[in-house]
Amino acid sequence: MKLGAHLSVAGGYHNALNKIVAIGGNCLQIFASSPRGWRFLPPSEDQIKQFVTLKEQLMIEPIYFHASYLINLANEPTVAVNGSKSLKNELDLASKMKVRGSIVHLGSFKNKDAFDKKGYDSNGHLIANINSVLDETPDNTIFIVENAGNKKVGQSLEEIAHILEILDNKRVKVCLDSCHLHSAGYDLSSEEKLDAFIDKFDSLIGLDKLEVWHLNDSKDPFNSGRDRHSNIGEGTLGLGTFRLILNHPKLKMLPFIIETPGFDDNGPDKQNLDILKSISS
């Protein structure tokens, strides 16, 4: 089973590789640069080589970047330009570092009716911005749309399906976050409900497009529209839901990444991964 975590790259990208091994993971998510600013400082060729060599030695695979929290590809082109540039830099680096690609929150429309009127149009801002990123980045990287839980673009499977249909690009994949699904009103708490959700995803989007899961518990109630993460077993999803996801025959071969606060509040940790291992078969 592929279990990993989002970890800091403080002190160098290679430090995240050593830390994921230390907490018992075998896949990884990191930021390519600061998630709260636009400044991008690419690593040196020696740093890239060090990362790739250690990645292969430790057999950490797959590895993903998580895009900046500031990105909003659904806004006006003048607003989204920094986000597009950031993603282009990130995917260029992903190709060099043998990182699969970037997991992206698409953002939100400036006007609440923009989504219905022009947001889905092939000439709309969102689609144009995504296509710009895809057109100017290496083909061996992927652009991964993460579902939203807080009334932003991608809150429903239907929204994600329509975006992917218009883009019609094999490099566009999907990341599902358990906390965000819970927040958006998707109930996965029984075998029947999870089966129904998977069938719906397959019908609308296709399971071949499902790249990775974020496994996070939720601090907030079901269908609350709030998506604050909690440690596994400490939130409102219940361990049973995680057991079902981890062991479902159509999901268990996917990578699972935690973004939990940590039981010591220092970020994703061994205890969270150990809990998931204890309920997986």
Side-chain angles (χ1 to χ4, degrees):
M1 177 168 283
K2 288 292 184 180
L3 281 176
H6 180 101
L7 297 178
S8 169
V9 295
Y13 293 96
H14 65 284
N15 282 345
L17 293 169
N18 289 319
K19 186 173 180 181
I20 194 63
V21 171
I23 66 172
N26 55 13
C27 55
L28 177 65
Q29 179 179 284
I30 56 177
F31 289 124
S33 58
S34 171
R36 303 190 185 280
W38 294 122
R39 191 181 184 195
F40 184 82
L41 295 174
S44 67
E45 291 300 318
D46 286 344
Q47 289 170 324
I48 292 172
K49 183 176 180 180
Q50 179 186 27
F51 179 86
V52 172
T53 299
L54 186 58
K55 167 187 179 295
E56 294 174 350
Q57 288 176 350
L58 298 177
M59 294 185 290
I60 307 301
E61 183 71 30
I63 299 176
Y64 302 98
F65 286 140
H66 193 295
S68 169
Y69 296 134
L70 299 177
I71 288 174
N72 186 354
L73 298 179
N75 214 320
E76 300 289 337
T78 52
V79 176
V81 65
N82 283 330
S84 297
K85 183 177 179 181
S86 174
L87 282 167
K88 291 170 187 177
N89 287 332
E90 197 163 285
L91 289 175
D92 282 340
L93 181 59
S95 180
K96 296 174 183 177
M97 292 179 64
K98 297 188 178 180
V99 169
R100 282 278 290 163
S102 295
I103 298 171
V104 185
H105 294 292
L106 296 179
S108 59
F109 290 98
K110 184 177 181 180
N111 301 312
K112 67 178 182 179
D113 64 342
F115 195 82
D116 294 328
K117 290 185 177 179
K118 62 181 179 180
Y120 280 156
D121 291 351
S122 58
N123 294 321
H125 302 140
L126 175 62
I127 301 303
N129 288 327
I130 297 174
N131 277 326
S132 173
V133 172
L134 292 168
D135 289 345
E136 299 179 37
T137 51
D139 287 340
N140 64 344
T141 60
I142 55 177
F143 182 107
I144 309 163
V145 176
E146 182 173 352
N147 68 301
N150 53 358
K151 300 181 180 179
K152 294 188 177 181
V153 177
Q155 185 173 4
S156 73
L157 295 186
E158 288 81 3
E159 289 177 324
I160 296 172
H162 199 63
I163 291 166
L164 266 63
E165 181 182 8
I166 294 172
L167 291 168
D168 190 24
N169 191 307
K170 65 182 181 180
R171 291 175 57 203
V172 182
K173 304 287 187 179
V174 176
C175 169
L176 291 176
D177 186 303
S178 57
C179 174
H180 299 174
L181 290 170
H182 187 71
S183 169
Y186 289 101
D187 189 348
L188 313 179
S189 62
S190 71
E191 186 174 343
E192 294 76 17
K193 290 173 180 177
L194 179 59
D195 281 341
F197 174 81
I198 293 171
D199 288 345
K200 182 175 183 179
F201 185 97
D202 196 23
S203 175
L204 289 171
I205 299 171
L207 282 174
D208 61 311
K209 288 288 189 180
L210 182 53
E211 171 71 20
V212 56
W213 274 81
H214 284 165
L215 290 186
N216 301 301
D217 214 327
S218 175
K219 292 182 178 181
D220 300 299
F222 175 72
N223 202 22
S224 64
R226 298 188 298 275
D227 56 6
R228 297 177 300 167
H229 296 178
S230 184
N231 292 311
I232 305 298
E234 287 196 331
T236 57
L237 270 82
L239 282 178
T241 299
F242 293 104
R243 181 180 288 108
L244 289 169
I245 294 171
L246 284 167
N247 296 302
H248 196 284
K250 292 183 178 180
L251 304 178
K252 62 188 304 180
M253 299 308 292
L254 292 168
F256 298 98
I257 304 281
I258 61 170
E259 301 170 312
T260 51
F263 286 94
D264 59 1
D265 291 322
N266 287 320
D269 54 15
K270 186 175 186 297
Q271 187 172 348
N272 273 282
L273 289 184
D274 284 348
I275 291 171
L276 292 175
K277 289 176 184 179
S278 73
I279 59 175
S280 64
S281 59

